[in-house]
Amino acid sequence: MNTKDIVYIALFAALMAVLGVFPPITIPSLGVPITAQSMGVMLAGGILGAKRGALSMILFLVLVAAGLPLLAGGRGGMGVFSGASAGFIYGWIVAAYVVGMIVERSWGKLNMVTAAGACILGGIVVVYAMGVPWLSVTASIPFMKAFMGSMAYVPGDLVKVVVATGVILTVKRSYPLISAKA
Amino acid sequence: MISLYHPAQSLIHSIAAGHKVLMLLILGTVLFQVDRLEILVVVAVVVVACYGVAKIPFRLAFKQLKPALFLLAIIFLAQIFILGLEAAIFVVLRFAVLILAASLVTLTTMMSHMIEAIEKGLSIFGHWLPVAKISLALSLTVRFIPVIGVMAEEVREAQRVRGMERNVFALAMPLIIRTLKMGTEVAEALDARGFDSDDETDAKSRTS
Protein backbone atom coordinates (compact mmCIF):
# COMPACT_ATOMS: atom_id res chain seq x y z
CA MET A 1 0.00 0.00 0.00
CA ASN A 2 1.87 3.10 -1.16
CA THR A 3 1.04 6.79 -0.85
CA LYS A 4 -0.95 6.76 -4.08
CA ASP A 5 -3.17 3.96 -2.81
CA ILE A 6 -3.87 5.83 0.43
CA VAL A 7 -4.71 9.03 -1.45
CA TYR A 8 -7.08 7.22 -3.83
CA ILE A 9 -8.81 5.48 -0.93
CA ALA A 10 -9.28 8.85 0.78
CA LEU A 11 -10.47 10.44 -2.46
CA PHE A 12 -13.21 7.89 -3.04
CA ALA A 13 -14.33 8.12 0.56
CA ALA A 14 -14.64 11.87 -0.01
CA LEU A 15 -16.40 11.29 -3.32
CA MET A 16 -18.99 9.16 -1.51
CA ALA A 17 -19.66 12.14 0.74
CA VAL A 18 -20.05 14.52 -2.20
CA LEU A 19 -22.41 12.10 -4.00
CA GLY A 20 -24.54 12.10 -0.85
CA VAL A 21 -24.98 15.86 -1.12
CA PHE A 22 -26.50 15.77 -4.61
CA PRO A 23 -30.23 16.23 -4.18
CA PRO A 24 -32.07 12.93 -4.56
CA ILE A 25 -34.14 12.48 -7.70
CA THR A 26 -37.64 11.15 -7.09
CA ILE A 27 -39.15 9.25 -9.99
CA PRO A 28 -42.89 9.93 -9.67
CA SER A 29 -44.07 6.49 -10.81
CA LEU A 30 -41.86 4.76 -8.23
CA GLY A 31 -42.25 7.17 -5.35
CA VAL A 32 -38.88 6.42 -3.77
CA PRO A 33 -35.96 8.85 -3.80
CA ILE A 34 -32.83 7.87 -5.71
CA THR A 35 -29.55 9.13 -4.32
CA ALA A 36 -26.24 9.07 -6.13
CA GLN A 37 -24.45 7.73 -3.09
CA SER A 38 -24.81 4.02 -3.71
CA MET A 39 -23.38 4.61 -7.18
CA GLY A 40 -20.19 5.64 -5.40
CA VAL A 41 -19.96 2.09 -4.07
CA MET A 42 -19.92 0.63 -7.57
CA LEU A 43 -17.44 3.27 -8.75
CA ALA A 44 -15.06 2.69 -5.83
CA GLY A 45 -14.92 -1.05 -6.56
CA GLY A 46 -14.87 -0.70 -10.31
CA ILE A 47 -12.21 2.01 -10.45
CA LEU A 48 -9.98 1.22 -7.46
CA GLY A 49 -10.39 -2.55 -7.40
CA ALA A 50 -11.46 -4.89 -4.61
CA LYS A 51 -9.09 -4.07 -1.77
CA ARG A 52 -8.79 -0.30 -2.16
CA GLY A 53 -12.49 -0.02 -2.97
CA ALA A 54 -13.54 -1.82 0.20
CA LEU A 55 -11.05 0.17 2.29
CA SER A 56 -12.44 3.45 0.97
CA MET A 57 -15.94 2.34 2.02
CA ILE A 58 -14.67 1.50 5.52
CA LEU A 59 -12.97 4.88 5.71
CA PHE A 60 -16.15 6.65 4.66
CA LEU A 61 -18.23 4.77 7.22
CA VAL A 62 -15.69 5.51 9.99
CA LEU A 63 -16.12 9.22 9.28
CA VAL A 64 -19.90 8.84 9.31
CA ALA A 65 -19.64 7.07 12.66
CA ALA A 66 -17.34 9.81 13.93
CA GLY A 67 -20.21 12.24 13.50
CA LEU A 68 -20.06 13.76 10.04
CA PRO A 69 -23.52 13.93 8.45
CA LEU A 70 -22.33 12.44 5.18
CA LEU A 71 -24.99 9.88 4.36
CA ALA A 72 -27.57 10.96 1.80
CA GLY A 73 -30.12 13.21 3.45
CA GLY A 74 -27.57 14.51 5.94
CA ARG A 75 -27.66 11.48 8.20
CA GLY A 76 -24.63 10.57 10.23
CA GLY A 77 -23.38 9.63 13.65
CA MET A 78 -23.40 6.27 15.31
CA GLY A 79 -27.19 6.00 15.29
CA VAL A 80 -27.30 4.94 11.66
CA PHE A 81 -25.24 1.84 12.43
CA SER A 82 -27.80 0.41 14.80
CA GLY A 83 -30.85 1.42 12.78
CA ALA A 84 -33.08 -0.91 10.79
CA SER A 85 -31.44 -0.04 7.47
CA ALA A 86 -27.86 -0.39 8.75
CA GLY A 87 -27.40 -3.72 6.95
CA PHE A 88 -27.45 -1.93 3.60
CA ILE A 89 -24.71 0.40 4.79
CA TYR A 90 -22.50 -2.46 6.02
CA GLY A 91 -23.23 -4.13 2.70
CA TRP A 92 -21.40 -1.35 0.87
CA ILE A 93 -18.04 -2.62 2.12
CA VAL A 94 -18.58 -6.12 0.75
CA ALA A 95 -20.24 -4.67 -2.35
CA ALA A 96 -17.24 -2.53 -3.28
CA TYR A 97 -15.00 -5.58 -2.76
CA VAL A 98 -17.14 -7.82 -4.97
CA VAL A 99 -17.48 -5.23 -7.76
CA GLY A 100 -13.72 -4.70 -7.64
CA MET A 101 -12.97 -8.41 -7.65
CA ILE A 102 -15.10 -9.09 -10.72
CA VAL A 103 -13.70 -6.07 -12.57
CA GLU A 104 -10.12 -7.14 -11.72
CA ARG A 105 -10.74 -10.72 -12.85
CA SER A 106 -12.19 -9.63 -16.17
CA TRP A 107 -9.89 -6.63 -16.61
CA GLY A 108 -8.34 -7.71 -19.92
CA LYS A 109 -11.70 -8.29 -21.55
CA LEU A 110 -13.76 -5.82 -19.58
CA ASN A 111 -16.78 -4.76 -21.60
CA MET A 112 -20.30 -3.46 -21.12
CA VAL A 113 -21.61 -6.88 -20.03
CA THR A 114 -18.92 -7.79 -17.49
CA ALA A 115 -18.78 -4.28 -15.99
CA ALA A 116 -22.57 -4.08 -15.69
CA GLY A 117 -22.62 -7.62 -14.30
CA ALA A 118 -20.09 -6.63 -11.66
CA CYS A 119 -22.17 -3.60 -10.66
CA ILE A 120 -25.40 -5.60 -10.48
CA LEU A 121 -23.90 -8.49 -8.55
CA GLY A 122 -21.87 -6.34 -6.15
CA GLY A 123 -23.82 -3.11 -6.04
CA ILE A 124 -27.32 -4.61 -5.91
CA VAL A 125 -27.32 -8.35 -5.06
CA VAL A 126 -24.69 -8.17 -2.32
CA VAL A 127 -26.11 -4.99 -0.76
CA TYR A 128 -29.65 -6.41 -0.58
CA ALA A 129 -28.37 -9.81 0.54
CA MET A 130 -26.99 -8.07 3.63
CA GLY A 131 -29.57 -5.31 4.02
CA VAL A 132 -32.78 -7.31 3.76
CA PRO A 133 -31.96 -10.01 6.38
CA TRP A 134 -30.71 -7.28 8.75
CA LEU A 135 -33.95 -5.35 8.29
CA SER A 136 -35.97 -8.52 8.75
CA VAL A 137 -34.17 -9.60 11.94
CA THR A 138 -33.73 -6.26 13.71
CA ALA A 139 -37.25 -5.09 12.92
CA SER A 140 -38.75 -8.56 13.43
CA ILE A 141 -40.66 -8.48 10.17
CA PRO A 142 -40.93 -11.58 7.97
CA PHE A 143 -38.22 -11.93 5.36
CA MET A 144 -40.58 -11.74 2.41
CA LYS A 145 -42.16 -8.49 3.63
CA ALA A 146 -38.74 -6.91 4.12
CA PHE A 147 -37.71 -8.19 0.70
CA MET A 148 -40.76 -6.83 -1.13
CA GLY A 149 -40.45 -3.46 0.60
CA SER A 150 -36.82 -3.13 -0.45
CA MET A 151 -37.55 -4.03 -4.06
CA ALA A 152 -38.97 -0.55 -4.61
CA TYR A 153 -35.41 0.76 -4.72
CA VAL A 154 -34.09 -1.68 -7.32
CA PRO A 155 -35.22 0.26 -10.44
CA GLY A 156 -33.27 3.27 -9.17
CA ASP A 157 -30.26 1.07 -8.56
CA LEU A 158 -30.42 -0.18 -12.14
CA VAL A 159 -30.17 3.42 -13.35
CA LYS A 160 -27.02 3.77 -11.26
CA VAL A 161 -25.64 0.54 -12.75
CA VAL A 162 -25.95 2.06 -16.24
CA VAL A 163 -24.09 5.24 -15.26
CA ALA A 164 -21.46 3.41 -13.20
CA THR A 165 -20.79 0.96 -16.04
CA GLY A 166 -20.18 3.81 -18.45
CA VAL A 167 -17.87 5.59 -16.03
CA ILE A 168 -15.90 2.44 -15.17
CA LEU A 169 -15.33 1.63 -18.85
CA THR A 170 -14.31 5.20 -19.70
CA VAL A 171 -11.93 5.38 -16.75
CA LYS A 172 -10.38 2.08 -17.84
CA ARG A 173 -9.60 3.63 -21.23
CA SER A 174 -8.44 7.03 -20.02
CA TYR A 175 -7.09 6.65 -16.49
CA PRO A 176 -6.69 2.98 -15.53
CA LEU A 177 -5.79 2.30 -11.88
CA ILE A 178 -6.33 -1.46 -11.85
CA SER A 179 -3.79 -3.86 -13.26
CA ALA A 180 -4.88 -7.17 -14.75
CA LYS A 181 -5.27 -10.17 -12.49
CA ALA A 182 -5.58 -13.78 -13.52
CA MET B 1 -16.96 21.42 7.64
CA ILE B 2 -20.33 20.98 9.25
CA SER B 3 -20.46 18.31 11.93
CA LEU B 4 -23.32 17.18 14.12
CA TYR B 5 -21.56 18.31 17.30
CA HIS B 6 -23.63 20.46 19.65
CA PRO B 7 -21.29 22.54 21.82
CA ALA B 8 -22.19 22.89 25.49
CA GLN B 9 -20.68 22.48 28.96
CA SER B 10 -21.98 19.33 30.57
CA LEU B 11 -21.04 16.14 32.34
CA ILE B 12 -21.76 14.11 29.22
CA HIS B 13 -19.65 16.41 27.04
CA SER B 14 -16.71 15.91 29.37
CA ILE B 15 -16.64 12.10 29.26
CA ALA B 16 -13.80 10.85 27.03
CA ALA B 17 -14.88 9.98 23.50
CA GLY B 18 -13.55 6.44 23.71
CA HIS B 19 -15.50 5.75 26.92
CA LYS B 20 -18.71 7.03 25.38
CA VAL B 21 -18.31 4.73 22.39
CA LEU B 22 -17.61 1.78 24.69
CA MET B 23 -20.71 2.52 26.77
CA LEU B 24 -22.78 2.75 23.60
CA LEU B 25 -21.50 -0.63 22.40
CA ILE B 26 -22.40 -2.19 25.75
CA LEU B 27 -25.85 -0.59 25.72
CA GLY B 28 -26.48 -1.85 22.20
CA THR B 29 -25.51 -5.38 23.12
CA VAL B 30 -27.53 -5.39 26.33
CA LEU B 31 -30.67 -3.90 24.74
CA PHE B 32 -30.98 -6.80 22.33
CA GLN B 33 -30.92 -9.23 25.30
CA VAL B 34 -33.66 -7.40 27.20
CA ASP B 35 -37.12 -8.83 26.60
CA ARG B 36 -39.22 -6.93 29.11
CA LEU B 37 -40.93 -3.69 28.20
CA GLU B 38 -40.57 -2.23 31.72
CA ILE B 39 -36.76 -2.37 31.56
CA LEU B 40 -36.79 -0.83 28.11
CA VAL B 41 -38.99 2.04 29.30
CA VAL B 42 -36.56 2.70 32.16
CA VAL B 43 -33.62 2.77 29.74
CA ALA B 44 -35.58 5.10 27.45
CA VAL B 45 -36.26 7.49 30.33
CA VAL B 46 -32.58 7.44 31.32
CA VAL B 47 -31.45 8.18 27.76
CA VAL B 48 -33.92 11.05 27.42
CA ALA B 49 -32.78 12.38 30.81
CA CYS B 50 -29.20 12.32 29.53
CA TYR B 51 -30.27 14.65 26.73
CA GLY B 52 -31.43 17.01 29.46
CA VAL B 53 -28.12 16.68 31.30
CA ALA B 54 -26.25 17.39 28.05
CA LYS B 55 -28.39 20.53 27.53
CA ILE B 56 -29.51 19.49 24.08
CA PRO B 57 -32.63 21.34 22.94
CA PHE B 58 -35.68 19.18 22.29
CA ARG B 59 -35.81 20.20 18.62
CA LEU B 60 -32.28 18.96 17.99
CA ALA B 61 -32.98 15.69 19.79
CA PHE B 62 -36.09 15.13 17.71
CA LYS B 63 -34.15 15.90 14.54
CA GLN B 64 -31.97 12.84 15.22
CA LEU B 65 -35.00 10.59 15.26
CA LYS B 66 -36.80 12.22 12.33
CA PRO B 67 -35.05 10.45 9.42
CA ALA B 68 -35.90 7.09 11.01
CA LEU B 69 -39.53 7.92 11.81
CA PHE B 70 -40.92 6.76 8.47
CA LEU B 71 -39.21 3.38 8.70
CA LEU B 72 -40.18 3.04 12.37
CA ALA B 73 -43.81 3.71 11.47
CA ILE B 74 -43.77 0.98 8.81
CA ILE B 75 -42.14 -1.46 11.22
CA PHE B 76 -44.71 -0.54 13.87
CA LEU B 77 -47.66 -1.19 11.55
CA ALA B 78 -46.19 -4.45 10.29
CA GLN B 79 -45.53 -5.61 13.86
CA ILE B 80 -49.08 -4.93 15.04
CA PHE B 81 -50.39 -7.37 12.45
CA ILE B 82 -47.69 -9.97 12.99
CA LEU B 83 -47.01 -10.02 16.72
CA GLY B 84 -49.52 -7.69 18.30
CA LEU B 85 -49.47 -4.23 19.81
CA GLU B 86 -47.12 -4.84 22.73
CA ALA B 87 -44.39 -6.40 20.59
CA ALA B 88 -44.76 -3.56 18.10
CA ILE B 89 -44.22 -0.96 20.81
CA PHE B 90 -41.27 -2.95 22.12
CA VAL B 91 -39.40 -3.24 18.80
CA VAL B 92 -39.97 0.38 17.81
CA LEU B 93 -39.03 1.69 21.24
CA ARG B 94 -35.83 -0.36 21.21
CA PHE B 95 -34.84 1.21 17.91
CA ALA B 96 -35.70 4.68 19.11
CA VAL B 97 -33.61 4.22 22.27
CA LEU B 98 -30.62 2.93 20.28
CA ILE B 99 -30.79 5.75 17.78
CA LEU B 100 -31.17 8.37 20.50
CA ALA B 101 -28.30 6.95 22.56
CA ALA B 102 -25.99 6.81 19.54
CA SER B 103 -26.98 10.32 18.50
CA LEU B 104 -26.26 11.54 22.01
CA VAL B 105 -22.67 10.32 21.70
CA THR B 106 -22.36 12.05 18.34
CA LEU B 107 -23.94 15.30 19.54
CA THR B 108 -21.71 15.59 22.60
CA THR B 109 -18.37 14.60 21.07
CA MET B 110 -16.23 16.80 18.86
CA MET B 111 -15.26 15.18 15.59
CA SER B 112 -11.56 15.73 16.25
CA HIS B 113 -11.88 13.98 19.62
CA MET B 114 -13.72 11.13 17.97
CA ILE B 115 -10.99 10.71 15.37
CA GLU B 116 -8.34 10.91 18.10
CA ALA B 117 -10.20 8.18 19.98
CA ILE B 118 -10.31 6.07 16.83
CA GLU B 119 -6.57 6.50 16.32
CA LYS B 120 -5.90 5.69 19.96
CA GLY B 121 -8.08 2.62 19.74
CA LEU B 122 -6.25 1.54 16.59
CA SER B 123 -2.82 2.03 18.12
CA ILE B 124 -3.51 -0.99 20.33
CA PHE B 125 -3.29 -2.96 17.11
CA GLY B 126 -0.21 -0.99 16.01
CA HIS B 127 1.68 -4.16 15.25
CA TRP B 128 -0.87 -5.32 12.72
CA LEU B 129 -2.36 -2.06 11.47
CA PRO B 130 -0.55 0.81 9.73
CA VAL B 131 -1.91 3.45 12.11
CA ALA B 132 0.00 6.35 10.52
CA LYS B 133 -1.45 5.50 7.12
CA ILE B 134 -4.97 5.27 8.51
CA SER B 135 -4.56 8.65 10.20
CA LEU B 136 -3.36 10.14 6.94
CA ALA B 137 -6.31 8.67 5.05
CA LEU B 138 -8.79 10.00 7.63
CA SER B 139 -7.45 13.55 7.54
CA LEU B 140 -7.09 13.51 3.75
CA THR B 141 -10.73 12.53 3.36
CA VAL B 142 -11.94 15.30 5.63
CA ARG B 143 -9.87 17.75 3.57
CA PHE B 144 -10.96 16.31 0.20
CA ILE B 145 -14.70 16.53 0.81
CA PRO B 146 -15.00 20.31 0.33
CA VAL B 147 -12.47 20.23 -2.53
CA ILE B 148 -14.43 17.61 -4.47
CA GLY B 149 -17.64 19.46 -3.57
CA VAL B 150 -16.30 22.60 -5.26
CA MET B 151 -15.16 20.54 -8.24
CA ALA B 152 -18.62 18.98 -8.58
CA GLU B 153 -20.17 22.44 -8.58
CA GLU B 154 -17.70 23.65 -11.26
CA VAL B 155 -18.48 20.67 -13.48
CA ARG B 156 -22.19 21.29 -13.06
CA GLU B 157 -21.80 24.95 -14.01
CA ALA B 158 -19.72 24.03 -17.05
CA GLN B 159 -22.24 21.47 -18.26
CA ARG B 160 -25.13 23.85 -17.63
CA VAL B 161 -23.55 26.23 -20.15
CA ARG B 162 -23.56 23.37 -22.64
CA GLY B 163 -27.15 22.48 -21.77
CA MET B 164 -26.00 19.12 -20.42
CA GLU B 165 -26.79 19.56 -16.75
CA ARG B 166 -29.42 16.82 -16.82
CA ASN B 167 -27.02 14.34 -18.40
CA VAL B 168 -25.75 12.30 -15.45
CA PHE B 169 -22.89 10.85 -17.44
CA ALA B 170 -21.67 14.29 -18.54
CA LEU B 171 -21.60 15.30 -14.88
CA ALA B 172 -20.02 12.16 -13.43
CA MET B 173 -17.27 11.59 -15.97
CA PRO B 174 -15.34 14.90 -15.74
CA LEU B 175 -15.74 14.85 -11.96
CA ILE B 176 -14.20 11.37 -11.65
CA ILE B 177 -11.32 12.10 -14.03
CA ARG B 178 -10.52 15.37 -12.26
CA THR B 179 -10.68 13.59 -8.91
CA LEU B 180 -8.26 10.90 -10.09
CA LYS B 181 -5.85 13.48 -11.53
CA MET B 182 -5.90 15.37 -8.25
CA GLY B 183 -5.16 12.10 -6.45
CA THR B 184 -2.04 11.51 -8.51
CA GLU B 185 -0.83 15.05 -7.85
CA VAL B 186 -1.47 14.87 -4.11
CA ALA B 187 0.32 11.51 -3.86
CA GLU B 188 3.34 12.90 -5.69
CA ALA B 189 3.34 15.98 -3.48
CA LEU B 190 3.19 13.81 -0.36
CA ASP B 191 6.05 11.62 -1.53
CA ALA B 192 8.09 14.69 -2.47
CA ARG B 193 7.61 15.98 1.07
CA GLY B 194 8.91 12.75 2.51
CA PHE B 195 5.81 10.77 3.46
CA ASP B 196 7.50 7.47 2.72
CA SER B 197 4.68 5.06 3.24
CA ASP B 198 6.50 2.09 1.79
CA ASP B 199 9.50 2.23 4.08
CA GLU B 200 7.59 2.86 7.25
CA THR B 201 7.21 -0.73 8.40
CA ASP B 202 10.68 -1.66 7.16
CA ALA B 203 12.21 1.23 9.08
CA LYS B 204 10.45 0.08 12.22
CA SER B 205 11.70 -3.48 11.90
CA ARG B 206 15.22 -2.24 11.19
CA THR B 207 15.42 -0.11 14.33
CA SER B 208 13.90 -2.66 16.64
Side-chain angles (χ1 to χ4, degrees):
Chain A
M1 194 107 329
N2 60 32
T3 313
K4 222 173 221 172
D5 295 323
I6 298 169
V7 172
Y8 284 135
I9 289 167
L11 271 176
F12 270 79
L15 189 69
M16 279 293 281
V18 174
L19 288 176
V21 179
F22 275 110
I25 310 160
T26 308
I27 296 177
S29 54
L30 294 171
V32 294
I34 300 176
T35 66
Q37 198 152 51
S38 49
M39 191 174 79
V41 182
M42 304 172 194
L43 292 178
I47 293 174
L48 296 183
K51 201 177 157 197
R52 288 179 294 184
L55 283 173
S56 74
M57 289 303 113
I58 295 175
L59 181 59
F60 172 69
L61 294 181
V62 166
L63 285 171
V64 171
L68 291 176
L70 301 179
L71 289 180
R75 288 175 305 141
M78 313 228 312
V80 293
F81 293 94
S82 54
S85 54
F88 293 98
I89 297 170
Y90 292 119
W92 287 351
I93 300 169
V94 186
Y97 192 90
V98 171
V99 174
M101 199 176 65
I102 299 171
V103 169
E104 280 171 6
R105 292 267 163 94
S106 53
W107 188 246
K109 47 185 191 305
L110 192 71
N111 55 30
M112 203 92 93
V113 179
T114 44
C119 289
I120 291 172
L121 203 63
I124 300 181
V125 176
V126 168
V127 171
Y128 285 80
M130 290 183 70
V132 173
W134 177 288
L135 177 65
S136 162
V137 170
T138 55
S140 310
I141 45 179
F143 183 81
M144 276 318 286
K145 278 222 166 81
F147 180 79
M148 293 315 284
S150 308
M151 282 305 110
Y153 291 91
V154 170
D157 286 337
L158 288 172
V159 175
K160 289 174 228 173
V161 167
V162 173
V163 179
T165 303
V167 173
I168 290 169
L169 289 174
T170 314
V171 169
K172 190 204 174 214
R173 279 198 303 273
S174 56
Y175 216 95
L177 296 175
I178 298 174
S179 44
K181 276 207 182 118
Chain B
M1 185 85 249
I2 321 141
S3 102
L4 296 169
Y5 179 64
H6 177 74
Q9 295 274 329
S10 85
L11 178 71
I12 296 177
H13 281 77
S14 62
I15 303 174
H19 294 169
K20 272 188 269 195
V21 174
L22 266 183
M23 282 190 263
L24 184 64
L25 285 177
I26 295 167
L27 179 73
T29 319
V30 170
L31 270 190
F32 273 91
Q33 309 302 320
V34 170
D35 51 4
R36 289 189 40 205
L37 190 59
E38 298 92 318
I39 303 171
L40 197 58
V41 171
V42 172
V43 178
V45 170
V46 170
V47 170
V48 171
C50 285
Y51 271 80
V53 174
K55 295 175 196 151
I56 288 163
F58 177 76
R59 252 194 39 221
L60 194 59
F62 182 69
K63 216 177 136 197
Q64 307 308 310
L65 211 49
K66 219 175 119 196
L69 276 184
F70 180 63
L71 192 59
L72 286 179
I74 294 178
I75 293 171
F76 185 71
L77 288 176
Q79 286 294 345
I80 290 182
F81 288 112
I82 301 158
L83 295 167
L85 183 63
E86 195 175 330
I89 295 172
F90 186 82
V91 170
V92 170
L93 187 63
R94 184 170 61 194
F95 266 128
V97 169
L98 274 176
I99 292 170
L100 281 176
S103 300
L104 184 65
V105 174
T106 305
L107 286 169
T108 59
T109 314
M110 263 162 70
M111 231 261 304
S112 54
H113 290 169
M114 193 66 99
I115 289 186
E116 267 170 39
I118 293 169
E119 284 169 6
K120 215 168 132 193
L122 286 176
S123 63
I124 302 169
F125 308 101
H127 275 285
W128 301 280
L129 284 175
V131 178
K133 290 181 191 177
I134 296 171
S135 296
L136 174 73
L138 278 170
S139 32
L140 276 179
T141 308
V142 173
R143 185 66 196 91
F144 279 151
I145 292 169
V147 177
I148 298 181
V150 169
M151 252 164 34
E153 200 41 55
E154 282 171 9
V155 169
R156 194 145 64 165
E157 291 274 310
Q159 299 295 26
R160 189 176 296 147
V161 173
R162 298 177 176 85
M164 307 254 280
E165 59 175 311
R166 298 198 68 77
N167 182 339
V168 189
F169 195 69
L171 292 174
M173 210 52 246
L175 180 63
I176 302 282
I177 293 291
R178 285 181 72 177
T179 304
L180 294 178
K181 281 205 171 126
M182 183 173 80
T184 313
E185 283 162 19
V186 170
E188 279 164 4
L190 274 170
D191 277 335
R193 281 160 185 77
F195 185 85
D196 246 346
S197 54
D198 276 336
D199 297 338
E200 187 192 317
T201 41
D202 304 335
K204 212 182 268 170
S205 56
R206 268 201 301 273
T207 48
S208 59

